[in-house]
Amino acid sequence: MESSNGKPPHEEKEGKAAEGSIGGYESLHRLLESNLSPELFKEASQLLLGLNCARSLEAISLPGATKALAEAHDFDVQAFRFNADKEHMRQQRIVRVGLIQNSIAVPTTCHFSDQKKAIMEKVKLIIDAAGASGVNILCLQEAWTMPFAFCTREKRWCEFAEPADGESTQFLQDLAQKYNMVIVSPILERDINHGEIIWNTIVVIGNNGNIIGIHRKNHIPRVGDFNESTYYMEGNTGHPVFETAYGKIAVNICYGRHHPLNWLAFGLNGADIVFNPSATVGELSEPMWPIEARNAAIANSYFVGSINRVGTEVFPNAFTSGDGKPQHADFGHFYGSSHFSAPDASCTPSLSRYRDGLMISDMDLNLCRQIKDKWAFRMTARYDMYANLLSEYLKPDFKPQVIADPLINKRKA
Ligand SMILES: NC(=O)NCCC(=O)O
């Protein structure tokens, strides 16, 4: 949507491009939409997003109440539909799935209770919008109750950790029940029954407000300012798939998306939808962001919901990145851009790079099996061959299978 004087909307509103915008636009998709002719935009869009059942992805309209909440509280809301072919012997399995991205709500210098309360208050409004839209399964962003303070290496941020059945879970249990919605809640967990150990955890809350189970982040980053290994260890919960009233779901937490075997394991356990709640910044990972999730959806014949937080979080004390550059007090810009990818290689556009948002998608889960039948990736995967390689690789005397050219150093001048 371009404004009346041809300027991108936020440039006009704020007199300058918002931090994280692309020349004043919220996303690449919106930049293209505003600057290409409708015919060219349609073609570009089809190339970028792929086709679903041989057609462009359809946008769906949402109730007035959702739009009113988005308008009043300035969050981006977008909604699309992934179709599957109609089958003779199986009913459609359509579920409405939502992703929420958000910035923190007050400065990181505020009292911790006030920070958490303010985030919960703002996220509640977006959950209300998801509820008003009839969302069945909703996933929040990684460590949603707090700033992503792990860059600082300061242990005081551990105060945000809470038991899996703690305050934020109880808060969401009420909303899950109210809206008959499954909610996936990524938190910093404190395991009080095991010596107060801290984990990066997701809690799956069923549509009756019950806790179905938890999963703990499998792969912990040691890259850039993501000093998460200072706070928690690799998870001990394997690759659970949660069978909910609306489908089988799993959660690959943030940095796990760089590990194809992590994606595979959730697929082998039967997931139809895998969420990837994340916290990641532009320079480090943005070129990977649209590729990895989409590739996982294709390779594993399931839907992926990718979520990233938004905004720049400034911390009270400056820290260094161990790269010889000056100390700094922020992590860089969390670029939002939450979106869905489908097993047939289509995907939605992304939410805003700088505003809070709610991405909604209807998806017929039958598409997962239809794509398995079409591409037969499971049938052609040769898992036994790879199981063998991996078990050899794990042995201390493993020798890489390399066949060297015997003439490699024998070329005459
Ligand atoms: N939160 C987290 O694991 N971030 C790591 C950076 C990335 O994977 O992009």
Side-chain angles (χ1 to χ4, degrees):
M1 173 190 52
E2 198 164 275
S3 64
S4 48
N5 66 6
K7 278 189 178 165
H10 270 263
E11 201 169 322
E12 184 185 60
K13 199 158 115 190
E14 295 164 14
K16 63 178 175 58
E19 192 197 359
S21 76
I22 309 175
Y25 292 95
E26 297 211 55
S27 66
L28 178 63
H29 201 78
R30 287 181 180 169
L31 181 154
L32 294 176
E33 190 173 17
S34 296
N35 290 286
L36 295 181
S37 68
E39 302 76 43
L40 268 182
F41 174 67
K42 190 167 175 231
E43 288 211 21
S45 193
Q46 283 190 353
L47 279 174
L48 287 172
L49 307 180
L51 295 178
N52 168 244
C53 293
R55 291 197 306 271
S56 295
L57 199 64
E58 285 169 59
I60 53 181
S61 69
L62 292 171
T66 306
K67 291 185 202 151
L69 278 165
E71 182 95 346
H73 302 288
D74 192 28
F75 60 85
D76 187 13
V77 63
Q78 298 185 41
F80 300 90
R81 172 181 299 122
F82 292 106
N83 291 303
D85 289 335
K86 295 264 163 49
E87 298 184 17
H88 285 255
M89 297 176 52
R90 224 171 30 148
Q91 300 231 309
Q92 289 180 302
R93 292 191 299 150
I94 297 171
V95 290
R96 181 162 285 193
V97 187
L99 312 172
I100 290 181
Q101 65 176 39
N102 61 276
S103 58
I104 54 173
V106 295
T108 59
T109 42
C110 293
H111 192 284
F112 284 0
S113 307
D114 294 338
Q115 291 189 47
K116 188 170 174 185
K117 189 162 167 277
I119 293 173
M120 286 165 83
E121 274 169 9
K122 82 138 77 165
V123 169
K124 179 177 179 299
L125 295 165
I126 313 180
I127 297 177
D128 287 338
S133 313
V135 165
N136 303 124
I137 308 175
L138 180 69
C139 186
L140 308 181
Q141 71 193 20
E142 184 181 22
W144 71 274
T145 61
M146 61 182 290
F148 211 72
F150 311 122
C151 51
T152 67
R153 301 191 295 271
E154 295 166 3
K155 289 297 176 106
R156 64 203 186 95
W157 302 100
C158 294
E159 273 199 58
F160 280 92
E162 54 178 301
D165 59 357
E167 184 192 6
S168 67
T169 302
Q170 288 162 26
F171 163 76
L172 294 175
Q173 283 178 292
D174 289 345
L175 293 167
Q177 199 161 24
K178 175 172 178 191
Y179 292 122
N180 194 20
M181 188 193 275
V182 172
I183 303 183
V184 178
S185 173
I187 58 165
L188 189 64
E189 181 202 353
R190 183 178 291 282
D191 183 357
I192 46 172
N193 292 333
H194 292 93
E196 308 249 356
I197 293 175
I198 289 177
W199 301 100
N200 183 317
T201 298
I202 60 95
V203 183
V204 180
I205 301 164
N207 57 315
N208 294 306
N210 52 317
I211 298 176
I212 300 179
I214 66 163
H215 171 56
R216 293 172 174 150
K217 183 169 179 171
N218 277 333
H219 299 276
I220 309 298
R222 290 156 174 82
V223 58
D225 288 332
F226 289 90
N227 300 316
E228 294 171 51
S229 57
T230 303
Y231 296 85
Y232 37 80
M233 304 297 290
E234 282 72 13
N236 58 358
T237 51
H239 296 90
V241 166
F242 302 94
E243 186 165 5
T244 73
Y246 306 114
K248 290 186 179 168
I249 64 171
V251 190
N252 180 350
I253 307 175
C254 195
Y255 181 78
R257 76 182 177 283
H258 311 300
H259 294 271
L261 292 178
N262 207 36
W263 290 111
L264 172 69
F266 294 117
L268 295 182
N269 281 329
D272 286 325
I273 306 168
V274 179
F275 294 101
N276 178 229
S278 298
T280 187
V281 289
E283 260 180 53
L284 181 72
S285 66
E286 199 165 6
M288 303 170 170
W289 179 248
I291 297 170
E292 289 172 306
R294 201 167 174 188
N295 183 57
I298 296 166
N300 297 289
S301 309
Y302 52 46
F303 289 94
V304 174
S306 307
I307 310 160
N308 186 23
R309 61 176 58 208
V310 266
T312 301
E313 301 176 0
V314 181
F315 294 95
N317 303 314
F319 52 89
T320 62
S321 304
D323 57 2
K325 293 193 181 144
Q327 59 176 358
H328 47 282
D330 73 85
F331 214 133
H333 181 74
F334 293 101
Y335 54 85
S337 307
S338 304
H339 64 282
F340 285 104
S341 309
D344 65 355
S346 60
C347 66
T348 66
S350 298
L351 284 178
S352 173
R353 288 184 90 259
Y354 57 86
R355 279 199 301 154
D356 294 352
L358 170 65
M359 173 62 82
I360 293 178
S361 181
D362 284 355
M363 46 187 76
D364 185 343
L365 300 182
N366 283 353
L367 188 62
C368 301
R369 194 170 81 178
Q370 290 173 11
I371 293 298
K372 282 179 184 155
D373 290 348
K374 174 177 175 181
W375 279 96
F377 290 148
R378 290 281 162 82
M379 288 160 63
T380 56
R382 308 285 313 272
Y383 296 124
D384 53 344
M385 193 167 75
Y386 297 101
N388 194 38
L389 172 64
L390 284 173
S391 67
E392 287 303 312
Y393 178 73
L394 289 175
K395 292 179 186 161
D397 61 353
F398 171 74
K399 297 265 185 313
Q401 184 184 10
V402 179
I403 301 173
D405 179 353
L407 304 181
I408 213 164
N409 294 318
K410 300 242 162 69
R411 191 172 175 85
K412 294 193 183 85

